[in-house]
Amino acid sequence: MEQLRHQHITSDMARRWLASVITKEREKIENLKLLHRFDSRDPADDNRHDQATADAWAKVNADGLHGATSDEPLVSLNLDIIRDDLSSEARQNIIQRDFKALTGHPQLSAFERAKLVSLLIAGKSAAWNRHEEALADIETAADDLWDRASQLLTPEPEAPAAPLQLVPAPEVEADTLDPDMHAVVSRMNDMKRSEGIEEKTLRQYESFAGLFTTLTGIRDVRQIRQTDATGFRAALYKLPKSWGKSPADRNATREEIMARAAKLPPEKVGLSIGTINRHLEHLGQIIEWASDEGIAVNSKLKPGKLPRKDTVRDCDKKQAFTEAELHRLFKSPAWTGSKSEHHQTDPGTNIYRNGVYWSPLVGAFTGARREEIAGLAPADIVERDGIPCLSIEDSEMRRIKNISSKRLVPIHSSLITLGFLDFVEAARAKGQAELFPDLREPATGKHGRKLGRRMRQIVDKTFGTEGAGLSFHSLRHYVQGMLEHVPEVTDKVLRDIVGHEGKDTHERTYSKPTPPAVLQAAIERLPALI
């Protein structure tokens, strides 16, 4: 144990860490088993997943963080999740934070963190694989593991340590990472990008960082106080409503922004409450991330206390198509006959079955997002359990919004009757990389924006001013609204169809995807529209 003292982690600290890991993991397992007992539809499958988790922790404990994978698919999946998590910068920062909270130890070296990770793995493996023994005495369990686990705590390879001095160890500066807000956002975005968060969302964080530093003059997150956050919120009410829509806005000074706002009529000044609250949420996430990294942000800074209550419900802001409106929409020229493919919104004699024709139909029968549909490839139409489905996941042409967006969505029988699968086969026969090449913008390679503009033209010509609140996204709200009122369609099934995150930690972590046959039964409850 002398080596531990030289590294400033005493054996008592390490043992307390091990006991804490076991205690927390046992509590999680107990909660999980309680949920299985009262909320399980397939106990045998739940047990299979639990055993795979236990086997994965045992394998990591035996083979190390970068050991061999497993021949069992479910164990292999758990291994990937565990190894990705323990290798991540975010997890290293959490270990630093939790160990400091437990022991008061100021800062860990990389080698010390590796030691604690070894103990964490040993503790979690014990909690999962000795759970049936109840581990009634946590202290005894920690002692039992200590003899085996402590051999991992070999000295850091360096010059021989000086004799132990009975004087306090010097404080280590905690802020080893760049506290500049743009640097914090860059590191946070790197992690979110690896988790599959779409670039559009990451750009919002970058845009926020630019706006915050412009309006407050503060770049160092350690210098932000609650009064600065309050002042930032006040400034957002004075910005032009159109701020951020012009590339020139990114380089404007605070004085230039406010001078521009002063020339506008009152109704064109002030961001919406929803947008302001989103900016405050971004600030909170960035501050929390910096804190997890060990950066000494102000403890009294609480951006979460600043959002204002919106007087308009979210469901009232986002207009959904009605079934009658969709019947009317699909009687417009794009689906009944157009002048030409270029003038697809003008009446004519030819029907052009391209992206403009198919994408709104797919949206109305799946609830998929605009970019998810516009960026489809022929290879994304697959068959699972004999059911034709859209496979929505990251590809070279488009990224999905988040990990929950990865899913299978069965293809409605109306689309099949209209010839959608034949259209897909024709695209495959031609060797097309894109299912809807007419929707791609040559300059950017993106697909969704052109579809959005064409949908706007169709809606305006079909509904006039009555359709001002309708857009492609209104198709998604239509599907959600229709299915949430069908008693046989559970919340879980609806979330799996539209790609929403689970309602709680248990569902997000352990719930399995709904089988295609169940999804298909739900999708078929959507009425025929054309």
Side-chain angles (χ1 to χ4, degrees):
M1 294 300 100
E2 285 296 314
Q3 293 92 345
L4 284 174
R5 285 196 288 273
H6 287 308
Q7 293 297 325
H8 308 307
I9 295 181
T10 67
S11 59
D12 179 65
M13 287 180 182
R15 185 175 172 279
R16 285 164 59 195
W17 169 253
L18 180 61
S20 173
V21 169
I22 297 172
T23 301
K24 290 179 180 178
E25 198 68 10
R26 277 193 62 210
E27 181 179 347
K28 184 173 78 172
I29 295 169
E30 292 291 353
N31 290 337
L32 181 61
K33 287 185 176 292
L34 185 65
L35 286 169
H36 286 350
R37 183 176 179 182
F38 294 104
D39 192 33
S40 177
R41 298 183 180 180
D42 189 347
D45 194 43
D46 289 332
N47 291 335
R48 186 170 63 90
H49 278 260
D50 289 349
Q51 186 59 52
T53 301
D55 291 346
W57 278 114
K59 190 167 182 60
V60 172
N61 191 38
D63 299 347
L65 195 55
H66 303 291
T69 186
S70 170
D71 294 332
E72 294 291 332
L74 203 52
V75 175
S76 179
L77 175 63
N78 277 277
L79 280 171
D80 290 342
I81 294 172
I82 291 170
R83 286 167 172 164
D84 287 347
D85 175 63
L86 294 180
S87 300
S88 71
E89 183 180 354
R91 178 57 56 190
Q92 300 299 314
N93 292 331
I94 291 170
I95 289 172
Q96 162 73 51
R97 180 195 65 194
D98 290 351
F99 190 72
K100 181 178 180 180
L102 182 69
T103 66
H105 189 78
Q107 181 72 7
L108 296 169
S109 70
F111 193 68
E112 288 174 323
R113 279 197 295 269
K115 296 173 181 178
L116 295 183
V117 169
S118 295
L119 288 176
L120 183 145
I121 292 170
K124 284 181 176 278
S125 177
W128 277 98
N129 289 282
R130 296 175 56 192
H131 183 70
E132 296 307 321
E133 300 172 20
L135 290 177
D137 186 348
I138 290 296
E139 298 299 315
T140 301
D143 284 339
D144 184 37
L145 278 174
W146 181 252
D147 289 338
R148 285 177 286 138
S150 60
Q151 63 183 313
L152 299 169
L153 305 181
T154 53
E156 188 167 2
E158 56 181 23
L164 179 64
Q165 300 294 320
L166 299 178
V167 295
E171 288 289 327
V172 180
E173 176 59 43
D175 296 332
T176 58
L177 297 172
D178 188 349
D180 182 274
M181 175 169 283
H182 292 276
V184 174
V185 169
S186 178
R187 294 192 297 270
M188 183 179 76
N189 278 358
D190 284 344
M191 178 58 65
K192 289 182 177 292
R193 188 174 287 109
S194 71
E195 294 170 350
I197 304 300
E198 65 176 2
E199 291 297 323
K200 177 182 175 182
T201 301
L202 304 184
R203 288 195 298 271
Q204 288 180 351
Y205 289 112
E206 295 169 355
S207 176
F208 162 81
L211 178 61
F212 184 86
T213 56
T214 296
L215 294 181
T216 65
I218 300 173
R219 296 182 65 94
D220 190 330
V221 296
R222 298 171 300 182
Q223 297 175 2
I224 304 173
R225 300 294 182 264
Q226 189 72 0
T227 53
D228 300 315
T230 303
F232 172 68
R233 183 186 64 182
L236 297 177
Y237 282 102
K238 301 176 182 178
L239 261 60
K241 286 186 180 295
S242 62
W243 187 90
K245 294 183 179 180
S246 169
D249 290 339
R250 291 195 295 268
N251 300 317
T253 65
R254 177 188 172 102
E255 291 71 24
E256 290 170 341
I257 295 172
M258 294 306 176
R260 176 179 151 199
K263 298 177 182 178
L264 297 172
E267 65 271 15
K268 293 188 177 182
V269 175
L271 303 184
S272 69
I273 292 177
T275 301
I276 291 173
N277 287 346
R278 188 185 74 234
H279 282 306
L280 295 172
E281 181 183 350
H282 287 345
L283 176 59
Q285 290 177 332
I286 292 167
I287 293 301
E288 183 178 2
W289 182 272
S291 177
D292 285 345
E293 289 185 322
I295 296 175
V297 298
N298 187 272
S299 60
K300 296 182 179 180
L301 176 56
K302 306 291 183 184
K305 293 184 176 181
L306 296 176
R308 294 294 178 86
K309 185 176 180 180
D310 206 337
T311 57
V312 182
R313 298 179 303 171
D314 286 343
C315 61
D316 293 332
K317 295 178 192 175
K318 301 173 180 178
Q319 186 173 343
F321 279 106
T322 65
E323 183 180 348
E325 285 171 336
L326 286 179
H327 279 288
R328 183 177 170 189
L329 178 76
F330 293 129
K331 289 179 181 177
S332 60
W335 294 277
T336 57
S338 304
K339 179 179 179 180
S340 67
E341 189 166 12
H342 182 69
H343 297 93
Q344 209 164 344
T345 58
D346 296 331
T349 58
N350 295 316
I351 297 176
Y352 299 92
R353 287 177 170 80
N354 53 15
V356 175
Y357 174 92
W358 284 114
S359 294
L361 286 168
V362 173
F365 287 113
T366 64
R369 298 175 178 92
R370 188 183 71 185
E371 288 76 11
E372 291 173 343
I373 297 171
L376 284 170
D380 292 328
I381 284 68
V382 300
E383 189 173 288
R384 295 289 184 270
D385 299 341
I387 298 170
C389 301
L390 302 183
S391 175
I392 297 175
E393 55 184 309
D394 277 336
S395 71
E396 295 181 359
M397 289 182 290
R398 52 100 169 91
R399 293 181 65 85
I400 58 176
K401 187 171 184 178
N402 51 49
I403 194 169
S404 302
S405 301
K406 182 179 179 180
R407 62 198 190 278
L408 288 173
V409 184
I411 297 171
H412 195 282
S413 57
S414 290
L415 291 174
I416 298 174
T417 300
L418 288 168
F420 181 67
L421 297 183
D422 295 332
F423 173 80
V424 173
E425 285 304 317
R428 285 178 177 150
K430 294 176 185 176
Q432 289 179 199
E434 304 157 299
L435 190 58
F436 306 124
D438 58 300
L439 298 180
R440 178 170 47 85
E441 290 183 324
T444 64
K446 297 183 181 299
H447 296 75
R449 290 189 294 190
K450 186 174 181 180
L451 174 58
R453 291 195 300 269
R454 298 306 296 272
M455 186 69 174
R456 181 78 265 152
Q457 292 172 348
I458 294 171
V459 168
D460 288 345
K461 286 198 173 186
T462 305
F463 300 100
T465 57
E466 296 176 10
L470 295 171
S471 65
F472 195 94
H473 202 65
S474 300
L475 297 168
R476 181 170 170 81
H477 293 303
Y478 158 78
V479 171
Q480 290 176 263
M482 291 292 290
L483 294 183
E484 70 184 8
H485 292 108
V486 177
E488 295 81 5
V489 179
T490 65
D491 289 343
K492 170 67 166 59
V493 170
L494 179 54
R495 281 193 292 273
D496 282 357
I497 288 173
V498 298
H500 280 168
E501 194 174 43
K503 64 181 179 180
D504 53 33
T505 301
H506 173 256
E507 189 169 284
R508 289 191 294 270
T509 305
Y510 298 104
S511 184
K512 279 76 69 181
T514 302
V518 178
L519 296 176
Q520 183 188 43
I523 286 288
E524 289 298 329
R525 298 303 298 267
L526 294 170
L529 298 167
I530 184 173

